[in-house]
Amino acid sequence: MLHIRTGRHTILTLKNERGEVENGTIIILGSSGTGKGILGEALTEEFHKQGYVVLIIADPKNEMEYGYAMFEPISQFHLNYLKSTGKRPERKNVKLYHPFTFRLPRHALPEINFYTFSLKDLGRQEWSLIAETGWDTDNMKLLLNASETISSSDGLYGFVHYLFESVKGRQEGKGVKSDPNRFHLPVTGGTGKSLQDVVNYLKPFEKDYFLAPDNCKLNLDWKEILSDQEHYHFFSSKWLGDDKQREFCVMALFNQVIKHKDACKHPVLFVIPEIRALTPVKAEGYKKFLAQGITRNLSMFRSQGRGMSAILDTQVYTGVEEEVIKSATDVLLGRIMNIRDIDALVKARGYRHDMRDRLAKLGKGLFYLMGKEDIDELGVLMPSHRHCEESYNFFEHYKAEYGDKMKDYSQLIAEMRSMLDSEEEKFKERMKKREKDERERIEAIKKAREEKSAKAKKLDEKIEKATQIKEKVATDLMKLVYETKQANPDMSWRELAAKFNLDHKTAKRYCEKYEKSFSAGQSGTQDFEEQTIQELESGDSPEPNDS
């Protein structure tokens, strides 16, 4: 990809012998202060001149370093270098981008394209980083299904509530209460631990609000970006809350370009300073999923669209995932102060002992092209635009150069706040209705149980009363049969029975039992009555004589 031409001067060029630019990945390795940044900017400028769309998708120092491309150089050393090489000082057309966040300063800022990602556009790599889960887990299946299924107007709240509806286990008889700190999700046994974890991972995006509905006006227009070769497209994340959000944006941007490769009208150059932050060796936590995603993209992106290339740099060779190093088509070696890095390079490349000293003592701004170390050191190229120096402040430079373009973004912040609040209110009201419905459901169940209990009690009372009546009627009948027989001793049992519509056996038994009870005294009456009723019900009375 990189070629060295010798003659009066030894120079580095992107073009091969046929005058073509080959796609590939360039890694610039060197300790701090060796000129990696300037060399990266110069190579970026060369790619741009060859028709590449330039996408700077990381700003690890949060210093807006590539933003300085919009200014002409002011350093005398820089100006002298350009004069000596016949290059004219220039400024590039640069578009600044930043994920939308409510952390934005409330004073005037440069002209910035604040952007969001559609929740419906996120895939396995993005969700694996956010939720810190593998590609084939249940959580991943849940997240991908939600991304695909939610409506174009669903934002964070709609997404989270769709997840809840997908996993909830209805808890009959238990109340539902929403939690405002968890997207107004219900607090029930159906809210499993896996969902709680996902909700916790999504919580920071309420503040750094760049995961938005599919119909959000701030979603990036990749067709427009990938058709715009005139500008450098510089994506900063300066005001986001933490590194996880910043590094998520780098991977999401990388993925989105590859996803929209068919919209490319030009070859694309990715610029990623300090690649070690994204693809560290032995990554843990979310970094593991970040490193996997970036490494995978770097290994296969070259042939995508109209062709893609990348410029990466790092201070620590041994700190970068080995597969990233292997994906490089060219490695430029600057001065290396890290003994471990030198030892690793000497071992990997089979360098002679003198190369160890040469790498450690290489002058500032000088580099070797790996594989062609026998050629003289290559002097750093310098871009025609301004380079960020330690004493510089981007916003001061911007205000001095483009003061009329400084903008107040309070209206945008208010609009985004209104959009988020509106969705929150929608689901808050939905949960209020659900809570009300649940209360009414529980109350209805309670009332039905009470009504059932009251009916059962009333029925028991009726049965008890009927039993009491039955017992009294039976006792009165026995007494009446007995008294009738006493008054008419000559009356046969059949005549007596007919008088009371009984059979003669029952009539005789009534008299015998009642007489026995009467002679035993009042204390035995109740036992007699109960026994008699039981015998009547069982039908085991003795056979009477018909006399």
Side-chain angles (χ1 to χ4, degrees), residues 4-54:
I4 295 177
R5 291 184 185 168
T6 57
R8 184 176 177 185
H9 300 288
T10 300
I11 61 171
L12 198 62
T13 177
L14 298 178
K15 293 183 178 180
N16 60 22
E17 295 79 2
R18 298 185 300 276
E20 300 168 339
V21 178
E22 300 164 349
N23 288 307
T25 298
I26 301 170
I27 295 181
I28 306 172
L29 170 63
S31 298
S32 178
T34 56
K36 296 188 305 299
I38 289 178
L39 178 56
E41 290 170 12
L43 290 173
T44 297
E45 186 173 39
E46 291 303 311
F47 273 102
H48 188 238
K49 287 178 180 177
Q50 298 305 318
Y52 280 70
V53 172
V54 173

Side-chain angles (χ1 to χ4, degrees), residues 96-213:
L96 304 177
Y97 300 81
H98 194 287
F100 181 82
T101 175
F102 291 114
R103 303 178 199 273
L104 291 178
R106 294 308 194 260
H107 54 72
L109 295 171
E111 190 172 29
I112 299 174
N113 298 284
F114 290 103
Y115 70 88
T116 53
F117 295 108
S118 166
L119 282 160
K120 290 181 70 64
D121 268 351
L122 304 187
R124 289 183 189 274
Q125 289 189 18
E126 291 90 346
W127 285 122
S128 68
L129 192 159
I130 289 175
E132 300 181 22
T133 187
W135 280 26
D136 296 319
T137 62
D138 289 340
N139 270 1
M140 178 58 69
K141 294 172 185 175
L142 187 69
L143 291 163
L144 288 174
N145 182 58
S147 270
E148 293 170 0
T149 309
I150 58 172
S151 73
S152 61
S153 61
D154 279 328
L156 281 174
Y157 281 84
F159 183 84
V160 169
H161 279 260
Y162 182 87
L163 291 178
F164 170 74
E165 294 296 335
S166 299
V167 304
K168 74 174 182 179
R170 185 90 178 173
Q171 299 290 304
E172 293 293 340
K174 293 188 177 181
V176 173
K177 187 175 182 181
S178 63
D179 183 351
N181 294 317
R182 295 170 59 250
F183 298 94
H184 295 280
L185 279 183
V187 183
T188 71
T191 312
K193 184 179 183 301
S194 61
L195 177 58
Q196 293 175 24
D197 291 341
V198 171
V199 169
N200 290 336
Y201 288 132
L202 288 172
K203 188 66 180 172
F205 292 98
E206 282 189 289
K207 190 74 172 176
D208 293 327
Y209 187 47
F210 57 83
L211 298 184

Side-chain angles (χ1 to χ4, degrees), residues 185 443 476:
L185 279 183
E443 190 62 33
D476 290 346

Side-chain angles (χ1 to χ4, degrees), residues 22 24 27 33 63 68 92 100 105 143 155 168 185 215 217 239 300 314 330 335 418 497:
E22 300 164 349
I27 295 181
E63 295 292 341
Y68 286 88
K92 302 296 181 185
F100 181 82
L143 291 163
K168 74 174 182 179
L185 279 183
N215 60 7
K217 69 177 184 179
W239 295 296
M300 48 75 72
T314 183
D330 293 289
R335 184 176 70 245
S418 175

Side-chain angles (χ1 to χ4, degrees), residues 329-457:
T329 48
D330 293 289
V331 178
L332 288 160
L333 303 172
R335 184 176 70 245
I336 300 173
M337 306 299 292
N338 186 316
I339 299 301
R340 185 181 175 190
D341 277 0
I342 293 177
D343 289 343
L345 280 165
V346 168
K347 182 178 179 180
R349 301 293 300 170
Y351 288 143
R352 299 189 307 272
H353 183 76
D354 67 315
M355 189 62 185
R356 179 190 299 270
D357 294 335
R358 288 163 64 189
L359 287 172
K361 297 177 181 178
L362 195 61
K364 180 177 181 180
L366 299 176
F367 289 83
Y368 291 113
L369 179 61
M370 187 179 283
K372 297 183 179 179
E373 295 87 347
D374 55 326
I375 300 177
D376 289 344
E377 302 98 333
L378 301 169
V380 137
L381 305 172
M382 295 191 77
S384 60
H385 58 74
R386 192 174 305 177
H387 172 70
C388 175
E389 303 287 350
E390 271 188 41
S391 61
Y392 289 177
N393 178 288
F394 174 79
F395 300 99
E396 291 176 359
H397 284 237
Y398 188 95
K399 187 174 182 180
E401 300 266 353
Y402 303 107
D404 59 325
K405 293 186 177 180
M406 297 289 282
K407 294 178 64 176
D408 180 277
Y409 291 93
S410 57
Q411 181 62 35
L412 175 63
I413 293 170
E415 289 176 7
M416 295 300 283
R417 172 59 67 188
S418 175
M419 184 172 77
L420 180 60
D421 288 349
S422 175
E423 188 182 31
E424 179 182 7
E425 189 63 27
K426 171 184 172 182
F427 283 93
K428 182 179 176 181
E429 290 302 314
R430 183 177 295 182
M431 289 314 304
K432 280 184 179 179
K433 184 178 184 304
R434 176 174 292 193
E435 290 172 23
K436 179 184 176 184
D437 291 346
E438 185 67 9
R439 286 195 301 271
E440 291 176 351
R441 185 183 69 84
I442 293 172
E443 190 62 33
I445 292 172
K446 182 179 177 182
K447 185 177 179 181
R449 287 174 179 169
E450 289 174 350
E451 289 177 351
K452 183 178 179 181
S453 177
K455 287 179 180 179
K457 184 178 179 182

Side-chain angles (χ1 to χ4, degrees), residues 214-230:
D214 194 50
N215 60 7
C216 179
K217 69 177 184 179
L218 297 189
N219 288 343
L220 289 166
D221 184 344
W222 285 108
K223 184 176 181 181
E224 178 183 332
I225 293 171
L226 295 174
S227 299
D228 180 8
Q229 196 272 328
E230 177 188 349

